Amino acid sequence: MCGIGGLVYTRGTKAQPQDVLDRMAQALMHRGPDGAHFARLPQADLIHTRLSIIDLAGGDQPLSAGSGTLIANGEIYNDPQIRQQIGASHFKTGSDCESPLLLWERNGADYANGLRGMYAIALYDSAQEELLLSRDPFGIKPLYLTEFEGGVAFASEPGVLLAAGLTPRTLRPTARDELLQLQFTTGRETIFSTIHRVMPGETIRVGQGHILDRSIRPALPTPAPHSIFQSEDEALTALDAALMNSVQAHERSDVPFGLFLSGGIDSASLLTAMTRLPRPEKLRTWTATFEARNAADEANAATALARAAQTDHETVRITAPMVWQHLPAIVACMDDPAADYAIIPTWFLARKAAEDVRVILSGEGGDELFCGYGRYRSAMRPWWRGGRRMWRRGMFDGLDVLRTAPTHWRDGIMAAEVNTANAPTRLAAAQQVDCAEWLPNDLLLKLDRCLMAHGLEGRTPLLDPVMADCAWRLPDSLRVRGDKGKWLLRRWLEQNYPAAKPFAPKQGFTVPIGAWIAEQGDRLGTLVAQQACIQEIARPDRVRALFQAASGRKNGPAAWTLLFYALWHRTHIQGLAPAGDVFDTLSA
């Protein structure tokens, strides 16, 4: 995995000085600690920082062919098939990222339609003086851009554009309201007023320093009615083939890899598939557990799974003092903010795993493709039978903490709902909304930033075209049955690894952030209430009261969101580095 960035200039504009490119490269180094390389071209500058995974000796970027120069952040899982199709003699390296470049030579701007993988790609055509920016259909790998006087700049993270001084640190209030109410932001616009996302599956063509056109490649297929599975046995056979195909493709690596194991259905399915593949040494697995009274986690279940699979397993114990010590750094890595408290275990797991491996497989996407959320069971019912729309209430509704109740925080979700008009069922429509917004802008963003903070690549085998094709051919009865979501995935586990107990009551995996905040409620509440960014949006007395009662089911997540926002604003809007632990940082 790598970091990419660059600039494309309007004709006649003077290129940015080298120190701007150096600042961009420095801000990308955590994504690619194995070295930085530049290409200074007519009308464009490209930057690549490398985390070596495939072709360790010969895979440095930029890569060039004809008039094209490419930099990429990602893995192309069908690289062997592309090489066979084009002919091995046409390739100069063993890097899987050379395949997109040679596809571009043959197919032009449509090159990404032939890719299977996770990627953010920048490809500059010197002959046409045009840049293509492409992102994988699920949005696994991030890519951002901003227009400035004289051209367009892009990077793997917004923080790179800010660090280079290419765009101001100004906040978009509507996105801030989204963050407070949803804990993530939606759509093309980010929380920064001048920085935009390249959308999942999008290819943007930039010429003369301006965006010329866009095209979208959807992540979810539109299966023909006759392709829907007619029986559970047929679906199980297809799922087995798809899962093994995807896991095998995602294991391709020239460096050690491992698995984050939660004890839930998704990671247990990956573990089961991985144990069926030959390997020269024991599989490495990690899980998190929390030191807090009545904390709900699945560490015991994960340990039992690991023992049965004979993996080299490690449990990472997370305590409140660890969280308070490292939380400023954890939040700092979330430059595109997602106030999901799962960033805490993900960051600590990544820090530990990075001591031994460079690639981690993880189960993101299983809930969205195979219907794991309880909100899906509600959404599939009509309103007169108790059905409720998703994301209908915001985090701060009814708490009387904010000075003004946000009014447009649900606009992005509503836009995603409108785009599901052709969904065959209510259930499929709910899944499409989550795949469009929640998945790329919370779950995958969290995984990317927390792992890349430690120079670790994350792979998600459940988010693969082969898996999506299988999942989208399921009738609703094989997605949800009774009170059980992920029905088919559970049945597959029951057949292939009954030790996972896929139909047992879920133990849950919840970070005890409310209890931890409540233990420090007076101190934290006072510090958070003193922050200017909090006083702008919330009543200080109500903030302090919220933190003092943070052990409550509703109060805890709301207090966490304000704490996250206070730390995030200090780092990414004020431009101040963490100043020690959470208490020192908020006091600075």
Side-chain angles (χ1 to χ4, degrees):
M1 198 52 58
C2 307
I4 64 173
L7 307 100
V8 180
Y9 307 104
T10 56
R11 188 170 294 159
T13 299
K14 185 178 179 180
Q16 293 285 332
Q18 182 65 39
D19 70 292
V20 171
L21 305 186
D22 290 340
R23 288 200 299 271
M24 294 179 72
Q26 184 60 40
L28 285 166
M29 284 304 292
H30 62 280
R31 299 188 68 90
D34 294 330
H37 297 86
F38 302 85
R40 305 214 69 168
L41 306 168
Q43 303 302 122
D45 287 311
L46 304 180
I47 306 158
H48 186 266
T49 62
R50 188 180 183 205
L51 176 63
S52 305
I53 302 295
I54 302 289
D55 188 10
L56 306 188
D60 286 344
Q61 299 179 37
L63 298 168
S64 299
S67 63
T69 303
L70 173 144
I71 52 176
N73 164 31
E75 300 293 344
I76 308 302
Y77 300 124
N78 63 336
D79 171 61
Q81 290 77 28
I82 295 172
R83 288 173 179 268
Q84 185 176 24
Q85 171 193 344
I86 293 176
S89 62
H90 294 277
F91 289 79
K92 301 175 185 176
T93 76
S95 170
D96 56 314
C97 290
E98 193 175 0
S99 286
L101 183 61
L102 269 63
L103 283 180
W104 167 79
E105 282 197 297
R106 286 154 177 77
N107 303 328
D110 294 331
Y111 76 100
N113 292 338
L115 300 179
R116 174 189 180 186
M118 56 176 186
Y119 53 83
I121 297 172
L123 202 162
Y124 185 71
D125 182 352
S126 297
Q128 300 297 320
E129 295 184 353
E130 288 186 354
L131 173 75
L132 295 176
L133 297 174
S134 302
R135 191 177 175 202
D136 68 79
F138 282 107
I140 302 169
K141 291 292 101 186
L143 191 55
Y144 301 84
L145 62 86
T146 187
E147 296 186 65
F148 66 98
E149 187 176 353
V152 171
F154 65 90
S156 295
E157 299 178 3
V160 177
L161 303 172
L162 297 170
L166 294 168
T167 191
R169 295 179 182 271
T170 52
L171 184 142
R172 196 163 59 89
T174 53
R176 177 200 59 203
D177 291 348
E178 274 190 322
L179 178 65
L180 293 173
Q181 292 284 69
L182 290 172
Q183 296 189 304
F184 64 97
T185 67
T186 64
R188 187 182 303 280
E189 310 304 321
T190 71
I191 199 168
F192 302 102
S193 59
T194 57
I195 300 178
H196 316 283
R197 297 180 178 113
V198 177
M199 296 292 280
E202 186 171 51
T203 292
I204 297 178
R205 187 164 64 96
V206 180
Q208 290 304 305
H210 301 289
I211 296 172
L212 301 177
D213 59 47
R214 307 169 184 267
S215 61
I216 290 280
R217 175 189 172 199
L220 302 175
T222 306
H226 68 269
S227 69
I228 302 299
F229 295 122
Q230 299 301 305
S231 71
E232 185 175 285
D233 287 344
E234 179 190 11
L236 283 168
T237 299
L239 174 60
D240 186 84
L243 188 56
M244 294 307 301
N245 181 297
S246 182
V247 168
Q248 186 168 31
H250 282 70
E251 281 197 0
R252 183 171 180 253
S253 172
D254 292 338
V255 296
F257 60 86
L259 171 69
F260 282 172
L261 187 62
S262 71
I265 300 297
D266 301 329
S267 61
S269 298
L270 295 182
L271 175 66
T272 303
M274 294 172 82
T275 59
R276 289 165 61 179
L277 295 172
R279 64 189 69 257
E281 56 188 25
K282 274 189 173 184
L283 177 65
R284 298 295 303 269
T285 56
W286 292 264
T287 192
T289 188
F290 308 112
E291 189 177 282
R293 188 171 57 185
N294 299 323
D297 65 42
E298 297 177 325
N300 291 336
T303 300
L305 286 173
R307 187 180 298 115
Q310 298 183 335
T311 72
D312 187 351
H313 185 66
E314 191 164 358
T315 298
V316 178
R317 181 170 295 276
I318 301 170
T319 68
M322 290 168 61
V323 173
W324 302 140
Q325 178 185 353
H326 295 286
L327 189 59
I330 297 172
V331 173
C333 77
M334 302 297 298
D335 56 345
D336 188 356
D340 185 337
Y341 42 63
I343 62 174
I344 294 171
T346 306
W347 191 91
F348 282 109
L349 283 169
R351 184 179 68 162
K352 188 62 180 176
E355 297 175 3
D356 300 298
V357 299
R358 302 198 103 184
V359 176
I360 281 291
L361 274 63
S362 187
E364 275 74 10
D367 286 308
E368 291 75 19
L369 287 191
F370 292 94
C371 298
Y373 299 128
R375 60 178 179 260
Y376 291 159
R377 297 191 286 278
S378 175
M380 66 192 296
R381 296 190 295 267
W383 65 267
W384 61 86
R385 293 181 52 200
R388 296 174 293 184
R389 65 181 183 176
M390 299 197 305
W391 309 106
R392 70 194 184 282
R393 289 181 58 82
M395 183 67 62
F396 286 88
D397 286 0
L399 290 180
D400 192 29
V401 172
L402 302 181
R403 293 186 184 276
T404 303
T407 55
H408 295 286
W409 63 271
R410 206 177 178 277
D411 286 358
I413 295 296
M414 290 173 63
E417 290 171 339
V418 169
N419 289 334
T420 67
N422 294 324
T425 67
R426 292 174 183 271
L427 182 56
Q431 291 176 267
Q432 287 180 15
V433 170
D434 273 350
C435 286
E437 297 294 352
W438 158 256
L439 184 60
N441 297 324
D442 185 306
L443 302 184
L444 294 174
L445 191 153
K446 167 207 71 181
L447 186 71
D448 175 82
R449 296 304 200 278
C450 291
L451 268 63
M452 293 307 319
H454 301 286
L456 194 62
E457 174 175 298
R459 298 184 180 181
T460 52
L462 298 180
L463 290 175
D464 182 88
V466 172
M467 292 297 294
D469 180 69
C470 177
W472 234 241
R473 292 169 61 197
L474 298 177
D476 283 1
S477 62
L478 293 182
R479 304 183 194 201
V480 175
R481 189 169 297 183
D483 64 345
K484 298 292 186 187
K486 290 193 274 200
W487 179 264
L488 192 73
L489 210 51
R490 292 175 190 272
R491 287 284 291 118
W492 183 86
L493 260 182
E494 186 179 48
Q495 287 188 0
N496 291 277
Y497 198 35
K501 301 178 181 177
F503 287 97
K506 185 175 177 60
Q507 294 175 273
F509 183 85
T510 303
V511 182
I513 193 66
W516 286 336
I517 289 175
E519 291 172 358
Q520 301 286 342
D522 287 338
R523 188 179 181 191
L524 275 176
T526 298
L527 287 170
V528 171
Q530 289 174 352
Q531 307 302 308
C533 65
I534 297 298
Q535 293 186 3
E536 179 184 3
I537 61 173
R539 294 163 44 197
D541 60 325
R542 295 297 301 156
V543 172
R544 289 190 290 269
L546 180 73
F547 275 74
Q548 290 164 357
S551 57
R553 185 170 178 270
K554 178 95 172 157
N555 292 353
W560 154 255
T561 302
L562 289 181
L563 173 59
F564 175 95
Y565 179 67
L567 292 168
W568 178 89
H569 190 280
R570 185 183 187 280
T571 298
H572 297 293
I573 298 298
Q574 296 175 254
L576 301 172
D581 67 13
V582 68
F583 306 104
D584 292 336
T585 295
L586 291 174
S587 299

